[in-house]
Amino acid sequence: MAQNKNALLRYRTIDRCLRNTGRRWTLQDLVDACSDALYEYEGKPDPVSVRTVQLDLQMMRSDRLGYEAPIEVYERKYYRYSDPEYSISNRPLSQHDIDVLNRTIDMLRRFDEFDRFHEMAEVVNRLQDKVASAQRRRPIVDFERNPNLKGLEYLNPLYDCIAARQTVCIDYRSFNARQPHPFLIFPYLLKEYRNRWFLFGSRADDMKIFNLALDRIVDFHVCPEIPYKDNPDFGEDYFDDIIGVTKHRGLEKATVRVFADNTQASYILTKPLHRSQRLIGKERPDGSMIFEIDVVINPELITLLLGFGNGIRILSPRSLADQLRKIHKKSLEND
């Protein structure tokens, strides 16, 4: 057991002893009580030294842990609390503690879109009451979210299936399909992208990795009779070379070189297109810059680049530049 956990157990043991006013506690009594508590917890003898308990008493008296315990010695031999009502578990929160808890509560409330956090709502409310935050105030942090998004009811049960390593059968209707199609899936991950949730997993028939948008799921059920399988291709680095969620064998990975004029260069410099982004050369006198990223060319990348309008130009690969040119041309024809 970690040393800090040992110390916490000793503090609680000393606190329990000193709150028992029906007995007089010597230093050796406290040492024996701490040794017994550690033996009961760990199941092996590990005697606590007198010096350790003396340092514990000193730490509890100080404000380093926020205890400031009123421990006194009487008759030059026995230890007790000068305040019989004191306990380290009942110490009041400092203003700093309250401020930290209030900020944490604000952050927790931003996640109420996730079904699993609905279970925490009552806990968060009680916590807020505990830290005397009954007053209403505007939130300081606000995450982008869409509470009306379909499919959120599947977040919690799918989360549980992933945690329990359970195979699932999902009835899924894509945007172009008239009827739902069943997929037998080994689920691995729930991922949010631009206010939509996606389930990543492998198809049971060919172990192909793909994703399903939760708002297109019609229904699903667990298939305990089909053993769950991991896919070694779905590792921690799976998303390293993509923007968004789309990645399959038919997509090309390339080094994309982007010219950005002075209206977009600073924006791209401070908010990179991708984690691999690098500045090629230096900023030009007119404020323009050239960037490179190493990514899979997927629909999310194209959508991102289109958002910069005529403020950027794709220098390479030529295939990506041609795709964007065709999209812009078609947009003009639709006017």
Side-chain angles (χ1 to χ4, degrees), residues 29-310:
D29 290 334
L30 298 177
V31 170
D32 293 341
C34 289
S35 297
D36 291 343
L38 287 175
Y39 177 76
E40 181 179 349
Y41 191 90
E42 294 188 305
K44 58 182 180 180
D46 188 14
V48 176
S49 69
V50 171
R51 178 59 176 165
T52 295
V53 174
Q54 288 175 325
L55 292 174
D56 289 343
L57 292 168
Q58 181 179 342
M59 180 67 72
M60 292 172 68
R61 285 188 177 111
S62 73
D63 61 355
R64 291 179 61 186
L65 299 177
Y67 292 152
E68 297 183 279
I71 300 172
E72 65 177 8
V73 181
Y74 65 102
E75 297 182 14
R76 298 184 179 181
K77 183 177 182 180
Y78 302 107
Y79 290 80
R80 68 184 177 188
Y81 286 142
S82 60
D83 178 4
E85 301 299 321
Y86 178 84
S87 171
I88 62 172
S89 60
N90 294 333
R91 67 189 189 280
L93 293 171
S94 68
Q95 186 58 50
H96 174 72
D97 294 335
I98 293 174
D99 291 341
V100 170
L101 284 171
N102 274 328
R103 292 196 293 269
T104 303
I105 289 169
D106 279 346
M107 295 288 284
L108 285 173
R109 290 194 182 281
R110 299 302 95 198
F111 289 97
D112 60 2
E113 185 177 276
F114 199 114
D115 257 9
R116 177 157 291 273
F117 282 89
H118 293 334
E119 301 173 12
M120 295 180 58
E122 186 177 347
V123 177
V124 172
N125 287 334
R126 290 201 303 268
L127 178 60
Q128 194 167 33
D129 290 339
K130 280 286 186 181
V131 298
S133 299
Q135 72 277 12
R136 292 186 174 273
R137 57 188 177 87
R138 290 185 300 176
I140 298 173
V141 177
D142 187 25
F143 291 105
E144 188 175 344
R145 52 186 175 158
N146 182 3
N148 298 318
L149 183 66
K150 295 180 180 180
L152 293 180
E153 66 272 19
Y154 298 119
L155 275 173
N156 193 48
L158 286 173
Y159 176 99
D160 291 337
C161 289
I162 295 173
R165 297 171 58 82
Q166 294 176 317
T167 305
V168 296
C169 183
I170 296 178
D171 292 328
Y172 188 81
R173 184 172 62 212
S174 64
F175 285 111
N176 299 322
R178 294 184 178 180
Q179 298 295 328
H181 179 79
F183 288 95
L184 197 60
I185 304 293
F186 304 128
Y188 303 142
L189 178 74
L190 288 164
K191 182 176 177 63
E192 184 191 20
Y193 178 69
R194 299 188 68 177
N195 283 321
R196 293 184 73 197
W197 284 92
F198 299 85
L199 173 69
F200 281 79
S202 291
R203 289 198 309 212
D205 56 352
D206 59 6
M207 291 301 290
K208 178 182 177 181
I209 298 173
F210 74 128
N211 68 73
L212 299 174
L214 266 61
D215 56 301
R216 306 307 300 172
I217 293 177
V218 177
D219 198 5
F220 88 96
H221 62 272
V222 179
C223 301
E225 71 279 5
I226 301 177
Y228 183 93
K229 294 181 181 179
D230 289 308
N231 190 326
D233 293 332
F234 191 81
E236 295 182 359
D237 60 348
Y238 183 81
F239 297 98
D240 285 356
D241 56 2
I242 67 170
I243 293 172
V245 297
T246 305
K247 182 178 183 180
H248 54 74
R249 295 189 183 114
L251 295 176
E252 172 193 3
K253 181 179 178 179
T255 296
V256 178
R257 179 168 286 200
V258 180
F259 167 84
D261 67 17
N262 59 2
T263 66
Q264 300 292 350
S266 296
Y267 180 84
I268 294 175
L269 181 67
T270 55
K271 187 181 179 183
L273 303 173
H274 183 258
R275 69 185 69 188
S276 65
Q277 177 174 302
R278 52 194 173 273
L279 176 64
I280 304 301
K282 298 181 179 179
E283 179 181 351
R284 301 183 177 193
D286 63 356
S288 62
M289 304 179 195
I290 295 177
F291 302 94
E292 279 188 352
I293 55 175
D294 301 316
V295 292
V296 170
I297 299 177
N298 63 9
E300 292 93 317
L301 170 65
I302 293 173
T303 299
L304 176 64
L305 295 175
L306 287 172
F308 292 101
N310 62 358

